[in-house]
Amino acid sequence: MSEQQPNPYASDPGQAPGDYKWGPGQASYGYPQPYPQPPAHQPTAGGAGLPIPQQPPAPGYAPGPGAVPGQGMSIGDISIAGDQIITPSGTMPLRGAMWNATDLSRTEEKMPAHAIVLAVIFFLFCLLGLLFLLMKEKRTTGYIQVTVHSGGRHHSTMIPATDPNSYAWVMHQINYARSLSV
């Protein structure tokens, strides 16, 4: 005869049959996690016992529009105030935060309808009407996704792209936030 397999639905082997407790036990995925405790020691460089120097942002590097040093800043619905990141889903510590941006926008270039009409009208009078076909119209649509990870939490926001330079502006803001997160 074959050996009998253990019942996977039975309670824990170290637990008595009547000791079942209703509800969640330890915090797990999906439940709010407690903040990790800060280290009891000063972080050091390479274990040599030397403290890591706090570096200010590079000379000539300033936050983007709307960001005042010392007063905080915001990127979409993510705000930085003091040493915390404030989001609609809660606060996170600023130190050690990881910032990412993804460009989900696109810029289309097309010929407007009035350029075709003007080209046809002026083609009849002179051949210079074909120059109207060089008229182009640029239109940017889409979003830029900004995500931040800190203290075991994650938040993501979408910022509308209004022109081709929107991604560069958001990256400027994120690079400043990264310099504050060190």
Side-chain angles (χ1 to χ4, degrees):
M1 211 168 217
S2 68
E3 193 172 307
Q4 187 176 9
Q5 297 294 321
N7 183 358
Y9 300 107
S11 62
D12 290 338
Q15 182 180 9
D19 288 347
Y20 179 75
K21 293 181 182 177
W22 177 256
Q26 298 288 359
S28 62
Y29 182 77
Y31 290 101
Q33 303 292 324
Y35 281 125
Q37 295 297 324
H41 60 5
Q42 172 73 22
T44 58
L50 302 172
I52 297 175
Q54 299 298 321
Q55 298 177 352
Y61 186 79
V68 180
Q71 295 293 327
M73 63 175 281
S74 66
I75 304 171
D77 61 359
I78 301 171
S79 299
I80 297 176
D83 63 346
Q84 290 187 338
I85 301 170
I86 303 168
T87 66
S89 59
T91 60
M92 300 180 233
L94 178 61
R95 178 163 284 214
M98 294 179 57
W99 298 84
N100 291 314
T102 306
D103 189 8
L104 303 173
S105 65
R106 68 177 198 204
T107 302
E108 297 174 341
E109 187 175 298
K110 67 176 190 172
M111 189 180 320
H114 65 272
I116 297 171
V117 171
L118 290 172
V120 170
I121 291 172
F122 282 98
F123 178 70
L124 298 176
F125 297 113
C126 61
L127 294 176
L128 292 177
L130 295 176
L131 291 177
F132 285 107
L133 296 177
L134 296 176
M135 291 175 60
K136 300 289 181 193
E137 184 177 82
K138 288 185 177 181
R139 194 171 130 220
T140 302
T141 58
Y143 294 91
I144 299 163
Q145 181 182 27
V146 176
T147 59
V148 59
H149 304 270
S150 180
R153 293 187 179 195
H154 164 84
H155 184 73
S156 176
T157 187
M158 302 289 262
I159 300 171
T162 55
D163 64 352
N165 296 326
S166 294
Y167 184 67
W169 176 80
V170 169
M171 284 306 296
H172 181 76
Q173 295 286 83
I174 286 181
N175 285 333
Y176 181 68
R178 285 176 180 161
S179 72
L180 294 175
S181 297
V182 177

